Amino acid sequence: METYTPQKRRLATRQKLIDAATQIIDERGYASLRVEDVVSRAAVAKGTFFSHFDDKDRLMALLIGQELGRILDKIAKGPPPASIPEFASRLQPLMDVMRQDRIVFDIVLRFSGAALIETTELISLNFLHQVELYAGWIKALQGTVVRDDVDAMLLAEGVQAFVIQVIALDFCALHNTVTTQQRLVPYLEPWLGPVRSVR
């Protein structure tokens, strides 16, 4: 019989809470996640939940951050996009996660660092990795598809800001007949495209 040290027990309990929350989200979505349901499914006391997570939002931030991380890892394995529309298309899986629910988008914004809240959450780290990936793509495309008169990191930060803007507009639209791609490409083309001389 395997014996557990207090640290191993604590990690096992934390994983039970994460697994229970993941199952609930898979069944009902993030909006339906309640602490009471998580602890019931994990078969632990409510106080145990709060010894692992400050609140439900911290747990959701962890789960969303993990999901964004998996997707970003997949996106990063491919070569740089060959065009600005392809650049936008490669971001679609990340946008799909962030726009699946208003609660998810709210958590992403609050824990991304964009709200000037100091955080070490996975979402914040993921946002940093996103910018680094975009900057790498931009550097590979500068001088041909992408302008080369602006630093790649600054352009990458702009891309990330446009992604957030597109998702926010998606939630605000009364009659949403425009896809996120149709919204994003018109932002990225003038932002990233080579500077044209004015006659």
Side-chain angles (χ1 to χ4, degrees), residues 140-193:
L141 299 172
Q142 279 182 318
T144 55
V145 174
V146 173
R147 64 192 302 169
D148 58 5
D149 62 324
V150 177
D151 179 71
M153 282 298 283
L154 180 62
L155 290 172
E157 289 173 0
V159 169
Q160 192 172 62
F162 286 132
V163 166
I164 296 299
Q165 171 71 0
V166 163
I167 297 169
L169 287 174
D170 196 50
F171 282 120
C172 293
L174 291 175
H175 305 289
N176 198 4
T177 58
V178 179
T179 68
T180 49
Q181 291 300 301
Q182 291 168 323
R183 285 192 199 279
L184 185 58
V185 171
Y187 285 124
L188 297 189
E189 285 180 336
W191 179 249
L192 296 176

Side-chain angles (χ1 to χ4, degrees), residues 23 38 43 54 61 72 89 110-111 148-149 154 158 167 191-192 194:
Q23 292 167 3
V38 173
D54 291 345
L72 190 62
S89 178
R110 282 194 290 133
F111 292 97
D148 58 5
D149 62 324
L154 180 62
I167 297 169
W191 179 249
L192 296 176

Side-chain angles (χ1 to χ4, degrees), residues 66-78 94 126 129 133:
Q66 288 175 340
E67 189 174 0
L68 289 171
R70 286 189 294 271
I71 290 168
L72 190 62
D73 287 345
K74 284 183 190 175
I75 292 171
K77 288 179 182 170
L94 288 169
N126 184 274
H129 293 149
L133 174 63

Side-chain angles (χ1 to χ4, degrees), residues 6 34 63 75 85 99 108 110 118 170 191:
R34 295 176 6 166
L63 297 175
I75 292 171
R99 64 186 283 270
V108 166
R110 282 194 290 133
E118 189 174 329
D170 196 50
W191 179 249

Side-chain angles (χ1 to χ4, degrees), residues 12 26 34 46 55-57 61 72 80 86 96 99 103 109 112 118 127 138 147 153 162 174 180 184 191 195:
D26 288 346
R34 295 176 6 166
K46 195 170 185 179
D55 53 32
K56 179 181 74 171
D57 289 354
L72 190 62
E86 187 185 339
D96 287 344
R99 64 186 283 270
I103 289 172
L109 287 182
S112 68
E118 189 174 329
F127 266 50
I138 288 166
R147 64 192 302 169
M153 282 298 283
F162 286 132
L174 291 175
T180 49
L184 185 58
W191 179 249
V195 178

Side-chain angles (χ1 to χ4, degrees), residues 10 13-14 17 39 44-53:
R10 181 164 176 76
T13 300
R14 179 181 173 87
L17 290 164
V39 297
V44 300
K46 195 170 185 179
T48 302
F49 178 93
F50 292 108
S51 74
H52 289 274
F53 301 101

